Amino acid sequence: MAGGSPDVGPSPRSQEDLKGWFVGSIDQGTTSSRFLIFDGTGVPVASHQVEFGQMYPQSGWHEHDPHELVSSVEACIERATAQFVGQGHRASDIKAIGITNQRETTVLWDANTGAPLCKAIAWPDTRTKSIVHELKKREGASKLQDICGLPLSTYPSSVKILWLLRNDDKVRKAYDDGRLAFGTVDTWLLYSLNGGRDRDLHVTDVTNASRTMFLNLHSLQYDDDLLDFFQLDKSKMRLPKIASSSDADAFGALASGPLKGTKITGCLGDQSAALVGQCALSPGMAKNTYGTGCFLLYNVGEKPVISKHGLLATVGYDFGRGRKPVYALEGSIAVAGSAVQFLKNNMGFISQSSQIGDLASSVEDSGGVVFVTAFSGLFAPYWIDDAKGTIFGITQHTQRGHIARATLEATCFQTRAILDAMEKDSGHALRELAVDGGMSNSDLCMQIQADVIGIPVDRPEMRETTALGAAIAAGFAIDIWKEFEELKEINRANRTSFKPVIPQPRRQEMFRGWERAVEMARGWIGPSEGPGEL
């Protein structure tokens, strides 16, 4: 899975030299796309962001337009590059590009024409709940997690494909005709940005492949037993070739635009990219990213650890060229920043997401309110797919500030539950938690997090760690950096540490209240009930 290195000249080493080397990073997230340009010291020098449409056609459904995913990325590349050139640089100074992306989101297209066959089903979508219940009863279901690291849930790509095969006639016909192409968002972007049918590049990296339930976590290849379990025929559905996360040749080059011809040399699923961007490159290091959802990854080293306590085993990163892949334990929280969006868009509590901290600070505590933000059920470590969002403890005393504070606490409590599970799986307690993502901008949220977990929370000044991770992967492929030791100073300046201040008995009391609310949120929907039914 390793590739060679292009001739880009001698590898720079001094910090001053590194400032003259530039790498682009495509960060395609759940609600927006971005393109950032970093210098060799990890400092972003130009960027542009474009939000794109979110479609919720039915309760529990979440879709994206595949064309808009591509066009938003292309617009970001154009605007950020113009900004970069406006600073006196040349477009050719950008030596390579990395890609990081929302994971599990499923795109299906016609392999003959390159046209999408349907809307992309986004990772939080829960329409597959009844299929998951069915699959859990199928022979061999109990063995899946030992092979691929993931439990059966509405989360991975596999069940989204099954739903489309059963419910979309165009998808079914393409499958029966042997012209169905599948990809997660990285694969679709790489296919499209390389020129679509003209180049016909169909590739993914190992971190994204590990989110499909098709990859054997030990061999890092597609597993026939897994495909057979889902009753999928490889001759009828085209699967992307698997490459390492850092490769000079596997991911092609941009076919058009201001950076036409620039090679794409790095590719990582967004949470793996954040792990790399936080430089959590040694076993025992961890990061937590507070985005649309919240994702805690714990580096476990060169052998996968299959969780016994509700976590996922996944590929952290694989930089190829003789290096061994690195694995992680992951705790995935479906709803984090999207709960803040809910308070803004649905409830009208705030007009901008950044106001959540001020509203939550208007009260001293949550006033006994607990908000179980189970809009997509509950992910790790609970895996409760019959829960719905539920607010407990409302009285006549309750104000908007109490609900806002309970919204922030919900993510912090789930992070605590994940850390407890990670300690049981790994045998080691984390001493400090590195954080990034939109909600980490809130000092109040990060202080609550430190209080809830009882260890310091470490926040970098530059929080674009996901995009930075993709840039690092791309830079390694072309020898901007050659050893992880060279990254030790990246993004270390001006970090903020939030230390716990509440007493342990209060911490435990708060968490017991959360756990009680989780149990009470179970069972709102049954496996055969349709959207909106109780």
Side-chain angles (χ1 to χ4, degrees), residues 27-34 49-52 54 64 69 72-73 76 102 292:
D27 182 356
Q28 202 299 301
T30 308
T31 60
S32 69
S33 298
R34 288 181 287 180
Q49 179 174 358
V50 172
E51 292 189 354
F52 56 87
Q54 307 295 311
H64 293 151
L69 297 181
S72 64
V73 166
C76 289
Q102 54 169 317
T292 301

Side-chain angles (χ1 to χ4, degrees), residues 82-101:
Q83 188 183 129
F84 180 71
V85 171
Q87 296 170 4
H89 303 292
R90 297 170 300 174
S92 60
D93 290 339
I94 300 171
K95 300 303 181 183
I97 293 170
I99 285 184
T100 182
N101 57 283

Side-chain angles (χ1 to χ4, degrees), residues 66 69 104-109 116 118-121 181-185 188:
L69 297 181
E104 296 92 20
T105 295
T106 298
V107 187
L108 298 177
W109 65 95
C118 55
K119 294 291 190 289
I121 297 184
F182 155 70
T184 43
V185 169
W188 171 244

Side-chain angles (χ1 to χ4, degrees), residues 191-209:
Y191 175 81
S192 302
L193 296 175
N194 270 272
R197 281 291 305 144
D198 291 342
R199 173 79 190 270
D200 201 21
L201 184 74
H202 196 213
V203 64
T204 188
D205 96 294
V206 69
T207 68
N208 280 294

Side-chain angles (χ1 to χ4, degrees), residues 11 57 77-78 148 153 161 181 187 214 228 259 331 393 435 473 484 522:
S11 176
I77 292 173
E78 183 174 342
C148 69
S153 72
I161 294 171
T187 298
F214 301 148
D228 289 345
L259 298 181
V435 299
F484 292 138
R522 290 178 181 268

